[in-house]
Amino acid sequence: MRYADVILPLPLENSYTYRIPEDLEKNVIPGCRVIVHFGKKRYYTAIVIEVHEGTPDTRLETKEIYALLDAAPVLRRPQLRFWRWISSYYICKLGDVYKAALPSGLKLESETAVIYNADFEATAPLRPNEQTVLDAFHGASRLTIAELERKTGLRNVLPVVSSLMAKGAVEVSEELKRGFVPRTSVFIRLSEEYRDEARLQAAFEELKRARKQESLLVCFLDVSHALNPALARELSKKELLERSGCTPAVLDGLLKRGILECYEKEVSRLRMSVCRPLTPNPLTPAQEKAYREIHEAFRSKDVCLLHGVTSSGKTEIYIRLIDEVLRLGRQVLYLLPEIAITTQITERLAKLFGDKLLVYHSKFSDNERVEVWNKLLHSGEPLLILGVRSSLFLPFKDLGLVIVDEEHENTYKQQDPAPRYHARNAAIVLAGMHGGKTLLGSATPSIDSYFNALTGKYGLVELLTRYGDCLMPEIVTVDVKELRRKKIMKDTLFSPELVGRMREALARDEQVILFQNRRGFAPMIACKACGWVPHCVNCDVSLAYHKANRQLVCHYCGYTYRLPEVCPECGGVEFKMQGFGTEKVEEEIASLFPAVRIDRLDLDSARTRQAYERILLDFEKGKTRILIGTQMLSKGLDFGNVSVVGILSADSLMNFPDFRAHERAFQLMVQVSGRAGRRDKRGTVVLQTTQPGHPLIQMVRRFAYKEMVRSQLEERSMFRYPPYYRLIVLVLRSRDAEALREMSGLYAEKLRARLGERVLGPVTPPVTRIQTLLIKKIVLKVEISAGIAPLREVLERVHAEMRAYEAFKRLLVHYDVDPV
């Protein structure tokens, strides 16, 4: 008897052992998907990780595998090794990694189905509820539990179904929902008997009175080359009707005559480029020098950091490296932090690499993602995958290069749910497992990466001149505090300096970008009479006002409700807006420039892939003249006609209770500034602030990245922060305030007994409650040399001790390793 150890897509640490049925013993191999029964009434898609003869323990009461889904593995061997590393380093369950890694279409789900027994005859009167359930099957032989509850109106139908099962009236099965569904299309071909020239000639004689059918047949033969086997190609029904201009009724006539026949065929959802790929542009001397230095760095280092200022042409260097690796027959992963950027760069890469390019991100349908997975799994050809952080889990065969563009971006860090991995760090490990190299690129590298480059862990290449020797933009600071004191900016968000520069740019037929890192109309509203502020019922935050639909919205949990007509506290009817978001910026700009087309790029306006693409394409083509947006605008977008950028509130970026606040503010302001003047003209950035003399603002003005790094490293060394120490945050959540207070304190004490002063807390975060759960945090500051493995052992031991307390069961606990 053989057994299989499997992983389930559940937050479970261990694998589980199942008995392999005799008829499947030769087919079940590691990496395959199997359906297994787990719990009372659920079936799950599990991944086989090991097949063995079993042990005395497993042979006692081991459930049997229900079904095998794959004739061949859906995972490659290195993938499971990578999953284990993610689970170990980021202190999460292996089942969490599996759940995040596979597209939903490869994870079948189940729901309980009840089947009516048509041969059932009652030997005794049925109870009213039992009869009601049986009556619900009128016209249907199979219903789910949910459908039965809806049809009968019974709140808990399971006991009734159970009694009917005992009487033989119904049976219960687990009906598996189908996951990935291949796309099929109808194709048309010439019937076998009409491939004979004489027979085909006779057919044309028949069609002399049916001119439209004759015309359609001529078109079919012309396009498909059906009579020339050397040139023949398959022709879809859709293409034939489009080419011929005929209606489906005309085609049906030819099908009925038997001259043509139709058949279904599986087709790809992936939009492959069919044009002839272009050759990459030649590199400038500065780019060529950086390209050679990267090669030199890769001789001794597995990771290289490319520090290239905005608009220096880093993408051209990436393209040259990608081309080189693909020619070697290896695969390339090109990681981007935001789906928004993939929209712009996809077209550029498709022109160069054609059908070697695959795109993978969450705005694609699940079936499209499964097709990318299957293409990589079943094809060993050299391919370029462009995607966001989830692309790391794809089944690569031979990964030669990973490019992490805009490597400083905090969106590379997965927040919820687990695994809470950092894609940049995980990419380095993944490339190492394949014997490949990793190139990190940014105009404002993260301090952690730059420190690793300075200390020799990574190679460092600098590209400090813009493409075409274009000058860095001029940054003009405006003291809005002084302007408001003088009543110059009393009722407006824009300084005269910014409005003037915008008018000049628009008069020259140039474009403008305005950056405000808050969406909505106002972050907070308050009653003018009593000061009442609406708060979220689930989270400890005030609600943001979205004027477009007159709603108050929580940006943490999504809770919404209509803005009340009167204050619920005092009955007042006037509300004042505090702060401003992108909606308010858009409204005021529309009143200042009524004849100019304006668009907004934020989470509200660009929720779908189509919305992203439309907004960016309109701006790129010059249809939109002013683009307003949040930090989405800072992520590597390339627009050649932007001459003015306005940063409307620099202070809100700096004044944040986080040790990385100044680093992030510098990165955001420099990145947004880099959108200005990216061709042959010098751009202008108007930076509005109440602190023009602040050291960080002055560093941004001079683009003094290294000065910012030096000042931040001094502080972090003094206060034991990364990159000198590793941070691990234990997040404890509960609805029970007393249990949370008591258990978090006890947890911290037990950790402190083992780890000493490395343990800080428990502390209450600035937002104390999210989605009805109160929060406490315990922070660990651990030396980099200590390593994760021994620390994980300590954490697991303490966690096991805490489980003995009844109150601890009312808490949810997770670990956030290397938080951003």
Side-chain angles (χ1 to χ4, degrees):
M1 185 66 70
R2 290 174 70 74
Y3 296 84
D5 292 341
V6 304
I7 314 171
L8 292 153
L10 298 167
L12 303 168
E13 184 61 57
N14 303 317
S15 59
Y16 289 80
T17 304
Y18 285 80
R19 189 172 70 255
I20 304 174
E22 284 185 25
D23 59 328
L24 295 178
E25 279 191 357
K26 293 180 181 177
N27 305 100
V28 174
I29 55 176
C32 282
R33 293 175 304 150
V34 292
I35 300 293
V36 296
H37 185 251
F38 189 82
K40 288 185 177 179
K41 295 180 179 177
R42 298 294 292 175
Y43 283 89
Y44 291 96
T45 302
I47 297 278
V48 176
I49 57 170
E50 191 180 342
V51 175
H52 54 86
E53 298 297 329
T55 63
D57 290 342
T58 60
R59 291 169 195 158
L60 296 174
E61 285 186 37
T62 308
K63 291 179 183 176
E64 193 173 73
I65 286 173
Y66 179 74
L68 174 67
L69 290 178
D70 307 299
V74 295
L75 297 184
R76 294 190 185 275
R77 194 166 292 172
Q79 281 180 278
L80 193 55
R81 187 174 154 216
F82 181 58
W83 288 12
R84 290 190 190 281
W85 178 82
I86 292 262
S87 169
S88 173
Y89 185 85
Y90 291 103
I91 314 179
C92 63
K93 312 298 185 196
L94 193 57
D96 285 324
V97 185
Y98 163 32
K99 193 170 182 181
L102 255 68
S104 298
L106 292 177
K107 301 191 292 276
L108 299 182
E109 297 175 356
S110 68
E111 59 179 17
T112 305
V114 183
I115 303 164
Y116 174 62
N117 179 7
D119 299 325
F120 170 70
E121 290 183 7
T123 56
L126 295 173
R127 294 201 302 271
N129 279 358
E130 291 174 334
Q131 191 60 55
T132 303
V133 169
L134 287 185
D135 290 344
F137 283 97
H138 182 68
S141 61
R142 177 190 295 254
L143 293 170
T144 65
I145 291 291
E147 288 168 339
L148 275 174
E149 288 181 344
R150 191 169 58 249
K151 275 194 162 191
T152 61
L154 299 173
R155 282 192 173 183
N156 187 3
V157 82
L158 282 172
V160 185
V161 171
S162 181
S163 67
L164 286 171
M165 281 176 64
K167 293 172 180 176
V170 297
E171 294 176 355
V172 170
S173 74
E174 287 293 316
E175 184 181 75
L176 291 168
K177 292 179 185 173
R178 195 169 181 195
F180 169 65
V181 180
R183 174 183 281 181
T184 58
S185 189
V186 176
F187 284 76
I188 305 296
R189 63 188 170 206
L190 190 66
S191 298
E192 190 64 40
E193 60 184 292
Y194 286 93
R195 294 178 188 275
D196 176 73
E197 194 173 327
R199 192 78 182 85
L200 186 61
Q201 193 62 43
F204 272 110
E205 289 295 325
E206 285 179 39
L207 295 174
K208 281 193 173 177
R209 291 183 182 177
R211 293 295 183 189
K212 289 184 179 179
Q213 291 183 24
E214 182 186 39
S215 172
L216 180 59
L217 182 57
V218 170
C219 180
F220 169 80
L221 294 172
D222 184 47
V223 175
S224 68
H225 303 288
L227 301 177
N228 185 348
L231 297 174
R233 72 179 187 89
E234 291 184 297
L235 190 63
S236 71
K237 177 181 176 180
K238 182 182 177 183
E239 186 184 353
L240 176 58
L241 293 175
E242 284 175 356
R243 291 285 197 103
S244 66
C246 293
T247 63
V250 178
L251 176 59
D252 288 343
L254 286 174
L255 293 171
K256 282 175 185 174
R257 290 175 187 268
I259 299 170
L260 297 179
E261 60 185 22
C262 62
Y263 63 99
E264 276 200 356
K265 180 188 169 187
E266 187 176 326
V267 294
S268 174
R269 292 177 173 85
L270 307 179
R271 293 176 290 178
M272 293 295 187
S273 173
V274 291
C275 63
R276 189 173 180 179
L278 304 174
T279 53
N281 295 326
L283 300 180
T284 65
Q287 290 171 331
E288 190 69 51
K289 179 173 178 287
Y291 173 72
R292 287 197 306 271
E293 288 176 356
I294 289 168
H295 266 289
E296 190 64 37
F298 278 153
R299 287 201 180 109
S300 57
K301 304 277 196 308
D302 288 332
V303 185
C304 178
L305 173 64
L306 173 60
H307 176 206
V309 296
T310 55
S311 195
S312 58
K314 295 186 289 296
T315 308
E316 290 297 336
I317 297 172
Y318 299 158
I319 287 167
R320 180 67 69 87
L321 289 165
I322 291 165
D323 189 51
E324 189 179 284
V325 174
L326 292 179
R327 286 178 189 277
L328 293 171
R330 305 189 75 184
Q331 294 168 335
V332 180
L333 173 60
Y334 189 148
L335 281 178
L336 290 164
E338 279 277 355
I339 295 164
I341 316 175
T342 64
T343 302
Q344 196 176 46
I345 204 167
T346 299
E347 191 178 333
R348 186 173 175 184
L349 294 177
K351 288 175 183 175
L352 294 160
F353 301 107
D355 59 7
K356 289 184 178 179
L357 172 68
L358 295 175
V359 183
Y360 188 88
H361 57 63
S362 61
K363 287 286 192 278
F364 275 37
S365 73
D366 193 63
N367 283 334
E368 285 176 305
R369 293 202 297 276
V370 172
E371 286 205 18
V372 173
W373 183 285
N374 287 338
K375 185 167 178 65
L376 272 170
L377 184 67
H378 302 303
S379 163
E381 62 185 290
L383 291 167
L384 165 62
I385 294 83
L386 176 70
V388 291
R389 59 176 183 256
S390 57
S391 311
L392 289 169
F393 296 111
L394 287 167
F396 299 102
K397 183 183 181 185
D398 183 15
L399 199 54
L401 175 68
V402 178
I403 295 168
V404 185
D405 198 12
E406 309 294 341
E407 67 84 31
H408 64 278
E409 283 289 347
N410 59 2
T411 43
Y412 277 124
K413 181 74 157 75
Q414 164 74 10
Q415 299 297 345
D416 280 310
R420 295 170 179 84
Y421 64 99
H422 198 299
R424 177 194 63 218
N425 302 342
I428 292 168
V429 173
L430 179 67
M433 288 178 175
H434 284 266
K437 304 292 184 182
T438 306
L439 179 64
L440 311 177
S442 176
T444 53
S446 66
I447 289 177
D448 299 53
S449 295
Y450 197 72
F451 179 79
N452 284 334
L454 290 177
T455 53
K457 187 177 179 181
Y458 300 166
L460 176 61
V461 174
E462 295 186 309
L463 184 59
L464 302 179
T465 56
R466 289 186 127 192
Y467 186 80
D469 294 322
C470 182
L471 292 171
M472 294 295 284
E474 175 196 11
I475 297 187
V476 179
T477 55
V478 174
D479 188 347
V480 293
K481 186 178 179 181
E482 184 66 14
L483 291 174
R484 286 188 182 122
R485 188 183 68 80
K486 292 178 178 178
K487 304 286 195 295
I488 296 172
M489 275 183 71
K490 186 181 178 184
D491 298 314
T492 180
L493 306 176
F494 312 108
S495 61
E497 178 74 29
L498 177 55
V499 173
R501 301 271 185 166
M502 288 172 68
R503 288 194 193 282
E504 290 169 13
L506 294 170
R508 294 192 300 266
D509 205 26
E510 293 166 349
Q511 291 170 297
V512 175
I513 283 178
L514 296 176
F515 172 73
Q516 170 60 11
N517 205 26
R518 281 185 180 276
R519 60 191 175 99
F521 191 82
M524 192 169 81
I525 68 164
C527 172
K528 276 190 175 180
C530 69
W532 171 80
V533 174
H535 278 75
C536 178
V537 296
N538 303 316
C539 311
D540 185 26
V541 291
S542 57
L543 296 172
Y545 177 50
H546 288 243
K547 192 175 182 179
N549 44 17
R550 200 172 164 77
Q551 280 190 327
L552 295 166
V553 180
C554 175
H555 289 172
Y556 282 85
C557 72
Y559 169 77
T560 63
Y561 80 97
R562 298 282 292 175
L563 178 70
E565 297 295 330
V566 297
C567 171
E569 290 289 320
C570 70
V573 293
E574 286 191 76
F575 297 95
K576 60 182 177 184
M577 307 295 164
Q578 297 186 359
F580 63 95
T582 49
E583 272 188 24
K584 189 171 183 181
V585 175
E586 184 180 30
E587 182 180 274
E588 190 168 324
I589 283 293
S591 65
L592 282 171
F593 302 98
V596 175
R597 180 169 167 183
I598 301 159
D599 220 332
R600 180 162 49 88
L601 182 67
D602 58 25
L603 195 62
D604 299 317
S605 64
R607 289 192 178 275
T608 65
R609 186 172 90 196
Q610 290 75 20
Y612 269 123
E613 291 172 356
R614 196 267 309 158
I615 293 166
L616 293 175
L617 192 63
D618 284 357
F619 193 65
E620 197 167 8
K621 288 183 174 179
K623 292 180 183 177
T624 306
R625 306 290 304 287
I626 301 174
L627 185 60
I628 300 154
T630 56
Q631 61 181 351
M632 288 182 183
L633 291 173
S634 70
K635 296 175 170 50
L637 298 170
D638 184 13
F639 302 113
N641 197 34
V642 175
S643 63
V644 173
V645 167
I647 298 174
L648 303 182
S649 179
D651 306 297
S652 63
L653 303 174
M654 298 188 298
N655 303 333
F656 201 75
D658 186 340
F659 75 95
R660 284 196 176 94
H662 280 193
E663 176 190 0
R664 284 214 193 101
F666 181 91
Q667 288 166 340
L668 264 175
M669 286 189 269
V670 169
Q671 290 285 346
V672 172
S673 300
R675 303 314 109 204
R678 293 177 69 87
R679 296 292 184 268
D680 54 353
K681 295 167 287 191
R682 189 182 189 194
T684 303
V685 179
V686 178
L687 196 157
Q688 296 187 169
T689 175
T690 60
Q691 309 169 73
H694 193 290
L696 189 71
I697 298 291
Q698 293 305 312
M699 290 176 202
V700 172
R701 281 193 67 189
R702 299 193 305 274
F703 295 98
Y705 171 77
K706 292 178 183 178
E707 186 182 337
M708 184 275 293
V709 170
R710 273 197 306 273
S711 69
Q712 289 297 301
L713 284 176
E714 285 172 12
E715 285 185 18
R716 294 188 190 184
S717 174
M718 196 184 307
F719 295 107
R720 298 190 302 162
Y721 278 114
Y724 300 100
Y725 282 75
R726 172 176 287 121
L727 291 186
I728 299 175
V729 178
L730 276 74
V731 182
L732 302 95
R733 296 172 295 161
S734 178
R735 289 188 178 87
D736 186 330
E738 185 55 34
L740 181 63
R741 186 193 61 77
E742 184 185 344
M743 290 296 104
S744 61
L746 185 59
Y747 206 137
E749 280 178 30
K750 287 180 178 289
L751 285 171
R752 212 169 274 117
R754 290 169 170 82
L755 300 171
E757 61 179 15
R758 298 181 184 92
V759 181
L760 302 175
V763 296
T764 303
V767 180
T768 60
R769 183 171 58 102
I770 296 176
Q771 295 180 359
T772 73
L773 295 170
L774 296 160
I775 304 167
K776 291 276 188 184
K777 292 185 178 182
I778 300 170
V779 180
L780 305 184
K781 290 184 177 180
V782 186
E783 303 87 339
I784 295 291
S785 58
I788 283 283
L791 187 63
R792 178 171 180 152
E793 287 178 22
V794 171
L795 292 171
E796 286 175 346
R797 206 174 299 129
V798 172
H799 195 82
E801 288 177 20
M802 292 299 297
R803 283 202 197 102
Y805 296 93
E806 191 63 34
F808 189 70
K809 294 173 184 175
R810 297 198 285 277
L811 271 62
L812 296 171
V813 180
H814 73 253
Y815 305 94
D816 190 2
V817 179
D818 301 335
V820 295

